[in-house]
Amino acid sequence: MTSIETGTDRAVGRDPALRWIAVTASAVFVVMSLVVARPGSNYRFSFLFLVPIVWAPYLLRRRIFLLPLHYVLFVLALMLHNLGAFGLYQRAVMGLSFDIYVHFYFGIVGGLMLHRYLEHTVVLTRWQLRVAVVLLIIGMGAIHELVEWFSTLILGPKNGMLKTEGVYEFDTQRDMFDNLMGAIVAVSLYAWSRRARRAAPVNPAPADAAPAAENSDWRGEAPSLQSGR
């Protein structure tokens, strides 16, 4: 359809491509957990919940109008998160916390997939669609932050997802802001892609092309209208 949606809607039916993406990603997550993660690390068993997350979009591929490009971006987002097995969450990349990149990228990927889904299932104007995508991504990010909080309440600061010692004071608010910025980038990419498609030159129809069906029907009815006067 567009540069953001590589391929056509028929790409949704390319199950072999999507299946290979899911299988490859699952194997990578198992290796990262069992081989790369250090003994005793929380990432040692991360594949137990990451692999089902990988397969969820595949199983819902037709309902969510999943494209191979979007699926690859989604899997890469999970892999980016799982790089915490190397201790990257405790490091800065080009002066910014690694966590910033993760939440920002998740906002982009989630925004692209959600934009495509809503576009095919809900009747909205362009601006309503864009605002809905941004607000829903922020809401999903907020739910994730609540899950982190509950995991720490239940498992404690050591094993929970939300770390309470030695972290940025406004980490939760910053994560949601990063999700917001990513979602804005996603809807902006869609808007730019649509504008570029409209600006692209359209090949004119050949001169000897058959007339449209509605024109032929109209011309066929014209004599009967004249004969009835």
Side-chain angles (χ1 to χ4, degrees):
M1 294 177 63
T2 68
S3 59
I4 301 300
E5 302 173 308
T6 300
T8 65
D9 282 339
R10 286 185 300 235
V12 178
R14 294 176 187 170
D15 295 346
L18 297 174
R19 191 180 304 115
W20 275 110
I21 295 171
V23 171
T24 303
S26 299
V28 170
F29 285 131
V30 171
V31 171
M32 291 182 70
S33 295
L34 300 182
V35 178
V36 177
R38 301 167 185 166
S41 169
N42 291 341
Y43 291 91
R44 192 71 173 174
F45 302 100
S46 62
F47 73 95
L48 293 177
F49 66 90
L50 286 176
V51 170
I53 293 176
V54 166
W55 283 92
Y58 173 79
L59 296 176
L60 298 172
R61 59 193 179 278
R62 291 187 177 88
R63 293 191 178 185
I64 65 176
F65 305 94
L66 183 63
L67 290 175
L69 173 61
H70 290 178
Y71 196 28
V72 169
L73 295 176
F74 174 78
V75 167
L76 290 177
L78 295 179
M79 289 184 178
L80 185 66
H81 161 72
N82 211 45
L83 288 179
F86 296 95
L88 289 180
Y89 275 106
Q90 287 73 46
R91 301 178 186 177
V93 180
M94 293 187 293
L96 295 176
S97 170
F98 180 74
D99 193 40
I100 293 177
Y101 295 100
V102 174
H103 284 272
F104 176 71
Y105 183 65
F106 263 98
I108 295 177
V109 176
L112 291 176
M113 296 178 67
L114 188 58
H115 192 291
R116 177 171 171 80
Y117 171 74
L118 293 178
E119 191 176 39
H120 284 75
T121 57
V122 183
V123 179
L124 296 171
T125 66
R126 291 177 184 174
W127 278 106
Q128 288 173 338
L129 176 60
R130 293 165 188 170
V131 172
V133 168
V134 172
L135 293 180
L136 286 171
I137 291 298
I138 296 176
M140 292 176 183
I143 293 175
H144 172 75
E145 298 300 328
L146 290 174
V147 170
E148 287 188 348
W149 177 50
F150 277 116
S151 71
T152 299
L153 290 177
I154 297 172
L155 302 175
K158 183 178 179 180
N159 297 317
M161 299 171 64
L162 179 62
K163 304 304 178 183
T164 58
E165 299 179 1
V167 297
Y168 179 55
E169 181 180 4
F170 300 106
D171 179 72
T172 297
Q173 291 80 4
R174 185 182 64 184
D175 291 347
M176 295 180 64
F177 178 77
D178 296 334
N179 294 149
L180 168 64
M181 291 296 100
I184 291 176
V185 169
V187 297
S188 299
L189 286 173
Y190 258 103
W192 169 81
S193 182
R194 296 289 162 80
R195 192 176 297 112
R197 186 181 64 175
R198 289 196 303 267
V202 179
N203 295 329
D208 57 348
E214 58 268 21
N215 291 338
S216 60
D217 292 341
W218 177 82
R219 290 174 183 174
E221 293 175 0
S224 62
L225 292 175
Q226 292 175 355
S227 61
R229 288 194 230 178

